[in-house]
Amino acid sequence: MHLPIKFQIKLFYHFTSKKAIVFLVKRIFRPKIIREGRKIKRTTELAREIYRKSGGTDIKKERLGGAEIVRIEMDGRRYLTAGPSNVFKACDQELLCGRLSEYIENLLPDGPVIVVGIGNISLTPDSLGPKVAGKICCTGKNAVKGLRDVAAFIPGVGGVTGIESLDVSVCAAYSFGAAAVIAVDAIAAKSAKNLGCIQISSAGIKNFSKSGFGVPVIGVGAATVLGDDRFLITKKDIDVTVTEISEILARSINMALNPVLYRG
């Protein structure tokens, strides 16, 4: 309990020991947000943290060089998650990217695809989308014979540009004549052990969905923060994690869009 001010003053004058002073400082100046820390409720956007509560029925798991790959069908939506991220470097990168690319490829229709990198490039935990989009092999529109038309777009964030990223992305997809959209963004996890986990979804990501674009939207992302509406909680080495995962996701997407360039 927070001691009354009068009682604190009496203690201060009565005791001169170091322990008494430290005690008073902690009681008086301890931030209110710390005292309320136990009330924080975390949310998640990872299917592997949701399906047990939602009754997902079709669940398949496999191990790939230490990484656990979980395939989930929930409410008519398909998800693949891979993690934890600390084993990605040790496992076979080609095999991992191949498995992710096959899953993405199976979700894509024929025709042009635009990859949208959502997020703020200046904020490390939120920079995954722009970093992936910057590594996409763009072939343009009707520019390279025998290859799928591919474009990449980084819409920025509304707080910086003054325009909602969804609005400008819809315009870009329409202008390119996209038959599908791959939306890449950072997502939130509930458990710290799942930070860095990759997720691919047939249901889009956040507010980027088929209802907004009129074409299929494949959501691709990774958990870079813990779901909390008051704090930005992440790993101390999140910069390294985001860079490594952006390489994996970009290669996987490139392999899915134009496999002929990678699979002989």
Side-chain angles (χ1 to χ4, degrees):
M1 293 179 61
H2 193 73
L3 296 176
I5 296 296
K6 290 182 179 180
F7 187 65
Q8 293 173 10
I9 294 173
K10 288 181 179 180
L11 280 175
F12 182 81
Y13 284 104
H14 186 73
F15 296 102
T16 57
S17 68
K18 183 178 179 181
K19 288 184 178 179
I21 294 173
V22 170
F23 171 78
L24 286 173
V25 169
K26 285 183 176 180
R27 297 306 302 180
I28 297 172
F29 298 106
R30 184 172 57 173
K32 181 180 179 182
I33 200 70
I34 294 178
R35 295 198 298 272
E36 295 179 350
R38 296 175 184 175
K39 300 179 182 179
I40 294 172
K41 292 183 179 180
R42 291 176 179 167
T43 57
T44 180
E45 296 170 286
L46 273 176
R48 69 192 300 161
E49 294 181 330
I50 298 173
Y51 75 89
R52 291 183 181 87
K53 296 181 180 180
S54 299
T57 53
D58 191 357
I59 304 166
K60 298 179 182 178
K61 297 182 180 181
E62 65 173 309
R63 286 281 175 180
L64 191 66
E68 182 183 55
I69 295 181
V70 183
R71 300 170 187 261
I72 304 166
E73 285 199 20
M74 184 169 56
D75 300 326
R77 301 172 178 179
R78 298 164 61 187
Y79 300 86
L80 178 146
T81 67
S85 61
N86 59 354
V87 301
F88 289 155
K89 187 177 290 187
C91 72
D92 188 326
Q93 294 279 313
E94 285 297 314
L95 189 58
L96 175 62
C97 291
R99 196 62 52 86
L100 297 178
S101 69
E102 287 174 3
Y103 194 83
I104 296 172
E105 188 177 357
N106 288 334
L107 296 176
L108 289 172
D110 294 332
V113 172
I114 186 169
V115 180
V116 180
I118 311 162
N120 188 344
I121 190 66
S122 301
L123 186 62
T124 302
D126 195 33
S127 64
L128 180 66
K131 286 188 175 182
V132 172
K135 299 180 178 72
I136 296 301
C137 180
C138 299
T139 58
K141 196 170 184 179
N142 303 318
V144 183
K145 188 176 180 179
L147 297 180
R148 184 198 293 263
D149 295 347
V150 176
F153 181 64
I154 302 174
V157 291
V160 175
T161 65
I163 306 173
E164 289 300 321
S165 56
L166 176 61
D167 295 339
V168 291
S169 297
V170 169
C171 293
Y174 178 79
S175 176
F176 187 64
V181 175
I182 296 178
V184 187
D185 196 5
I187 58 177
K190 187 174 184 180
S191 172
K193 69 179 181 180
N194 285 325
L195 284 175
C197 280
I198 290 171
Q199 177 165 287
I200 301 168
S201 168
S202 66
I205 193 166
K206 298 179 180 176
N207 60 339
F208 281 63
S209 64
K210 185 175 181 179
S211 62
F213 287 85
V215 295
V217 178
I218 292 87
V220 177
T224 60
V225 296
L226 296 182
D228 190 298
D229 58 359
R230 291 189 288 184
F231 300 106
L232 183 64
I233 306 173
T234 187
K235 303 195 301 179
K236 63 180 180 180
D237 61 342
I238 192 62
D239 54 335
V240 177
T241 300
V242 168
T243 298
E244 291 176 350
I245 293 178
S246 68
E247 296 283 351
I248 293 172
L249 292 181
R251 184 168 180 81
S252 300
I253 292 171
N254 283 329
M255 291 172 67
L257 293 174
N258 283 302
V260 67
L261 297 178
Y262 298 89
R263 300 173 190 169

